Amino acid sequence: MREAEVRRLLAANLLCALAVVLATLGPAFLLDGFSVLGTHLTWLCVCSVCVATLNIVLHLVLKPNQSPKRRSFGHKISRFLKCCIYFFMSCILFHAIIVLYGAPLIELVTETFLFAVLLSTFTTLQCLCLLGPNIQAWIRVFSKNGAMSIWESSLQITSVCSILGAWFGAFPIPLDWDRPWQVWPISCSLGATFGYMAGLIIAPLWIHWNRKQLTYKSR
């Protein structure tokens, strides 16, 4: 495992974490009354767009999983459309799962869907950027010892941390503390965001710490 590749991963992950920070602090200088709690739906949109844009740009620049085969323009267009469809389906699936876990079915639909978009940005979008619209590759990566590169290991860690963060974020909601951050889905979206950022930091550190034990199979 090359140290240069680990440093590239660390730099990319730090940029993604910085995108979350900028999405939280930047709009306050442009929008009157903006705050994560007070205008949470706006923050969900801004954060999702910032993280998604940076992930796509980093994928195009770093090309961590580039195929040696040359692809036609028509194939690239078809792949892009499939990615868009997969991302939308992921948002719908996350929305349904969140409702099954107790979110309001009819009320607060916008809040729930935007939270699902945020989760899809933290998880599915990374899969699409790294692996493309290939469900078999997704299953392989998230199976035991399925990662074939440090980028796929990082994908595993950040995705799991994001989902766990969202799950832990739901714990304070039913408590009768009457805090502003207990309003749906603020604590869950903040938990997912903190989990995502934690995963971005943990992944390269864990890979560096275990670099001698990690052996990736050839494709």
Side-chain angles (χ1 to χ4, degrees), residues 7-74:
R7 287 195 293 268
R8 288 177 68 203
L9 174 65
L10 176 61
N13 285 8
L14 289 177
L15 285 175
C16 290
L18 180 61
V20 176
V21 175
L22 292 177
T24 303
L25 302 178
F29 297 99
L30 303 174
L31 303 174
D32 292 335
F34 176 86
S35 69
V36 174
L37 300 183
T39 55
H40 192 65
L41 294 186
T42 303
W43 177 80
L44 284 174
C45 295
V46 173
C47 186
S48 298
V49 170
C50 288
V51 173
T53 302
L54 185 61
N55 268 285
I56 293 170
V57 170
L58 287 175
H59 172 71
L60 294 175
V61 173
L62 299 177
K63 299 178 180 178
N65 202 24
Q66 186 179 20
S67 173
K69 298 180 181 179
R70 289 183 174 272
R71 303 294 187 182
S72 65
F73 180 74

Side-chain angles (χ1 to χ4, degrees), residues 1-206:
M1 183 188 304
R2 295 180 301 174
E3 286 295 324
E5 195 70 8
V6 178
R7 287 195 293 268
R8 288 177 68 203
L9 174 65
L10 176 61
N13 285 8
L14 289 177
L15 285 175
C16 290
L18 180 61
V20 176
V21 175
L22 292 177
T24 303
L25 302 178
F29 297 99
L30 303 174
L31 303 174
D32 292 335
F34 176 86
S35 69
V36 174
L37 300 183
T39 55
H40 192 65
L41 294 186
T42 303
W43 177 80
L44 284 174
C45 295
V46 173
C47 186
S48 298
V49 170
C50 288
V51 173
T53 302
L54 185 61
N55 268 285
I56 293 170
V57 170
L58 287 175
H59 172 71
L60 294 175
V61 173
L62 299 177
K63 299 178 180 178
N65 202 24
Q66 186 179 20
S67 173
K69 298 180 181 179
R70 289 183 174 272
R71 303 294 187 182
S72 65
F73 180 74
H75 180 272
K76 292 179 180 178
I77 294 297
S78 174
R79 181 185 175 94
F80 173 75
L81 293 176
K82 283 183 180 179
C83 287
C84 293
I85 293 172
Y86 276 40
F87 183 79
F88 179 73
M89 291 173 61
S90 170
C91 295
I92 298 298
L93 179 61
F94 269 122
H95 185 106
I97 293 173
I98 293 167
V99 169
L100 290 175
Y101 268 87
L105 176 61
I106 299 176
E107 298 177 351
L108 305 176
V109 173
T110 303
E111 287 82 350
T112 304
F113 184 74
L114 289 178
F115 173 47
V117 171
L118 185 74
L119 277 179
S120 295
T121 303
F122 290 160
T123 57
T124 307
L125 182 70
Q126 294 189 90
C127 293
L128 291 171
C129 287
L130 188 63
L131 306 171
N134 186 344
I135 298 297
Q136 291 182 343
W138 296 13
I139 295 173
R140 170 185 60 76
V141 167
F142 288 98
S143 61
K144 185 178 180 180
N145 300 323
M148 292 184 175
S149 69
I150 62 173
W151 300 92
E152 293 182 0
S153 294
S154 178
L155 172 63
Q156 290 177 336
I157 294 171
T158 53
S159 297
V160 171
C161 286
S162 299
I163 294 174
L164 286 177
W167 184 61
F168 282 116
F171 287 177
I173 292 179
L175 302 178
D176 57 349
W177 295 344
D178 295 327
R179 302 295 184 183
W181 48 267
Q182 287 181 278
V183 176
W184 173 257
I186 294 177
S187 62
C188 288
S189 57
L190 290 180
T193 303
F194 286 131
Y196 174 68
M197 295 183 69
L200 291 173
I201 305 301
I202 292 170
L205 295 178
W206 182 85

